[in-house]
């Protein structure tokens, strides 16, 4: 198994989590299999070099970095990257954490939508709504902020100055952090009003989980203005 070593700008750390690959030989081909999608077959060209079967501009090869770690690297006119050899346990831990993060985000939205419906039906007290709704608002803000980064039509040159795209990302990520903090604050202040163990577990899972995600994004500098990344 190999983990990518993308340059840590924009959302590079997310790619480093999700873009691990397994590499194995299959006859005269090297199969590079990502987390999702079909394996990429590479044709052997000699001396541990490989080339994409249907392209001619990109070469892949094995080597070692300055610390003596085995790496799998690519070189191309449009720019290359490299993958550092790792263990299956490391890949499994990262994928498990990524899955938990996605589950937290998904569950927060489900809880938020159901809470609005239940409030409209007067099935829950209005004082519990902040505990239920702020994690969902945080998730929606995160999606709003990250969308321009994953949009295949985005012009990354526009990320170098304040404009509609960069301000959308900045305020989306900032709102994510604010709503995450509010959700955690209301969870603490109104914990005693949650009468069932199930409710406490679910709300703690979503609020604390989203707060941890906010800290991760903050650590990687994604709460700062995009044009300064």
């Amino acid at each position: 198994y190999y983990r990518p070593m993308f340059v840590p700008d924009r959302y590079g750390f997310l790619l480093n989590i999700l873009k691990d690959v397994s590499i194995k030989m299959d006859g005269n081909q090297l199969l590079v299999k990502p987390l999702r999608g079909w394996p990429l077959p590479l044709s052997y060209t000699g001396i541990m070099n490989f080339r994409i079967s249907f392209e001619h501009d990109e070469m892949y090869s094995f080597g070692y970095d300055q610390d003596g770690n085995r790496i799998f690297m690519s070189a191309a006119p449009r720019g290359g990257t490299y993958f550092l050899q790792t263990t299956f346990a490391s890949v499994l831990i990262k994928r498990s954490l990524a899955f938990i993060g996605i589950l937290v985000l998904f569950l927060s939205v489900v809880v938020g939508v159901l809470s609005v419906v239940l409030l409209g039906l007067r099935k829950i007290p209005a004082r519990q709504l902040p505990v239920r709704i702020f994690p969902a608002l945080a998730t929606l803000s995160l999606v709003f902020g990250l969308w321009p980064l994953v949009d295949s039509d985005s012009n990354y040159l526009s990320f170098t100055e304040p404009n509609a795209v960069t301000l959308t990302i900045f305020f989306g990520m900032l709102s994510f952090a604010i709503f995450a903090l509010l959700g955690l604050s209301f969870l603490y202040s109104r914990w005693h009003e949650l009468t069932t163990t199930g409710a406490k577990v679910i709300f703690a899972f979503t609020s604390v989980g989203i707060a941890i995600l906010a800290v991760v994004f903050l650590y990687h500098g994604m709460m700062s203005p995009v044009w300064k990344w």
Side-chain angles (χ1 to χ4, degrees):
Y1 284 87
Y2 288 76
R3 60 185 177 91
M5 301 299 293
F6 289 96
V7 176
D9 61 347
R10 294 193 290 271
Y11 58 110
F13 84 96
L14 292 176
L15 297 179
N16 290 337
I17 294 175
L18 301 174
K19 295 294 184 178
D20 298 292
V21 297
S22 64
I23 299 176
K24 67 177 181 179
M25 289 296 300
D26 183 18
N28 291 327
Q29 286 188 326
L30 189 72
L31 295 181
V32 180
K33 190 176 188 312
L35 175 63
R36 295 179 58 186
W38 296 96
L40 175 66
L42 303 176
S43 300
Y44 181 65
T45 60
I47 319 179
M48 298 304 291
N49 290 326
F50 302 85
R51 194 179 293 274
I52 298 178
S53 302
F54 48 84
E55 292 183 0
H56 301 286
D57 64 338
E58 188 159 11
M59 181 74 73
Y60 291 80
S61 61
F62 288 97
Y64 295 89
D65 63 11
Q66 64 271 21
D67 298 319
N69 299 310
R70 186 174 177 84
I71 62 174
F72 179 67
M73 52 190 171
S74 69
R78 64 177 180 273
T81 186
Y82 73 96
F83 294 78
L84 181 68
Q85 190 173 29
T86 187
T87 62
F88 174 72
S90 175
V91 173
L92 183 62
I93 290 173
K94 286 200 301 180
R95 292 182 181 180
S96 299
L97 291 175
F99 173 78
I100 292 173
I102 293 172
L103 179 62
V104 166
L105 297 173
F106 174 77
L107 186 60
S108 70
V109 174
V110 172
V111 170
V113 172
L114 289 178
S115 297
V116 172
V117 173
L118 291 175
L119 181 65
L121 297 175
R122 298 184 179 181
K123 298 292 185 179
I124 61 172
R127 280 184 55 81
Q128 287 189 12
L129 187 62
V131 181
R132 299 165 177 262
I133 199 67
F134 278 127
L137 294 176
T139 297
L140 295 178
S141 298
L142 179 63
V143 173
F144 182 76
L146 290 182
W147 185 257
L149 290 176
V150 299
D151 184 2
S152 59
D153 295 328
S154 294
N155 179 8
Y156 293 117
L157 294 177
S158 66
F159 290 177
T160 58
E161 60 185 18
N163 53 51
V165 175
T166 55
L167 289 175
T168 296
I169 298 171
F170 173 61
F171 285 112
M173 297 303 297
L174 184 61
S175 298
F176 168 63
I178 292 173
F179 285 132
L181 180 61
L182 287 173
L184 196 61
S185 175
F186 276 101
L187 175 70
Y188 174 78
S189 63
R190 300 187 180 176
W191 180 259
H192 65 282
E193 298 180 16
L194 304 176
T195 56
T196 65
T197 302
K200 290 182 177 180
V201 169
I202 292 175
F203 300 148
F205 180 68
T206 55
S207 296
V208 175
I210 285 179
I212 292 174
L213 289 175
V215 171
V216 171
F217 281 102
L218 178 64
Y219 173 79
H220 287 280
M222 294 191 69
M223 300 299 181
S224 62
V226 181
W227 51 94
K228 294 184 179 180
W229 288 4

